[in-house]
Amino acid sequence: MDPGFEADFRQFVVDRSGALFRTAYLLTGDRHAAEDLVQSALVKTATKWRSLRDPAAIEGYVRRVMYHEQVSWWRRRSRVAEVSTGWLPDQTDDGHADVVDLRMVMRAALSRLTPRQRTMLVLRYFEDLSETEIARVLGVRVGSVRSQIYRSLERLKKTAPELTTVRELR
């Protein structure tokens, strides 16, 4: 990678790594797996950096790589969703206890979704992308995005009814 391209790539990583990590975490449900996912996506992006001409398309490319990497991993492992129930985090304050409980419920509910459903929810509600943008990033039809989001929300309502009463999930 020549110095000009390397400087651009480094700046992209500095600017967008936080958002990419959040997306990866919501896709994987595990901090360490999310770090690995971001790293592998950035390595693939670095190898294609010269051919990525449109700056607006770079982040979409990285997110698409992350999605495909995660789906490929999931297919290889055919894993079963596991939820840790052996311990509870320390509760330091009564005001924070509800937040911790809500996060645990949210994490468990998200782990019960399929990877595709979780991806759609992450992109729509945590990354604030429109349905059209999600369809463009993932290379699917807008109708597919709408149906996946609808199914995901219905599944969340059934598996974790306490989430439907909460307005702010972040």
Side-chain angles (χ1 to χ4, degrees):
M1 189 180 283
D2 71 36
F5 286 110
E6 186 175 343
D8 290 342
F9 179 73
R10 284 179 188 264
Q11 189 59 46
F12 172 78
V13 170
V14 168
D15 292 342
R16 300 306 302 156
S17 61
L20 293 173
F21 177 76
R22 284 191 303 275
T23 301
Y25 179 75
L26 292 168
L27 285 171
T28 62
D30 178 63
R31 181 183 184 114
H32 301 292
E35 290 172 356
D36 292 343
L37 184 60
V38 170
Q39 288 298 321
S40 63
L42 288 175
V43 166
K44 289 185 178 189
T45 303
T47 61
K48 299 283 187 183
W49 191 257
R50 286 180 187 255
S51 62
L52 299 172
R53 301 281 183 220
D54 183 13
I58 294 172
E59 187 165 349
Y61 177 81
V62 176
R63 288 176 190 276
R64 180 178 264 188
V65 168
M66 288 191 324
Y67 169 76
H68 287 291
E69 286 286 313
Q70 181 62 20
V71 169
S72 295
W73 178 84
W74 176 76
R75 286 179 180 157
R76 283 190 306 269
R77 294 269 317 211
S78 66
R79 69 177 187 191
V80 175
E82 298 178 13
V83 178
S84 175
T85 57
W87 59 275
L88 293 174
D90 292 336
Q91 297 179 355
T92 58
D93 184 329
D94 288 338
H96 294 293
D98 293 335
V99 174
V100 170
D101 290 341
L102 180 61
R103 285 185 183 182
M104 290 176 61
V105 169
M106 180 61 133
R107 183 174 182 177
L110 285 174
S111 71
R112 291 183 192 111
L113 296 176
T114 65
R116 181 176 280 280
Q117 290 174 333
R118 192 169 44 244
T119 299
M120 298 292 180
L121 287 181
V122 166
L123 293 176
R124 179 68 181 107
Y125 295 106
F126 290 93
E127 293 296 323
D128 295 326
L129 296 180
S130 70
E131 293 167 346
T132 306
E133 291 171 325
I134 295 169
R136 183 183 46 78
V137 166
L138 298 178
V140 297
R141 296 185 333 260
V142 175
S144 295
V145 172
R146 287 183 183 141
S147 67
Q148 287 295 321
I149 290 174
Y150 176 78
R151 287 185 195 131
S152 303
L153 293 175
E154 288 300 312
R155 193 167 184 185
L156 282 177
K157 286 178 190 176
K158 288 178 186 172
T159 59
E162 58 271 22
L163 292 176
T164 60
T165 60
V166 177
R167 294 269 181 206
E168 192 172 312
L169 298 176
R170 291 185 216 177

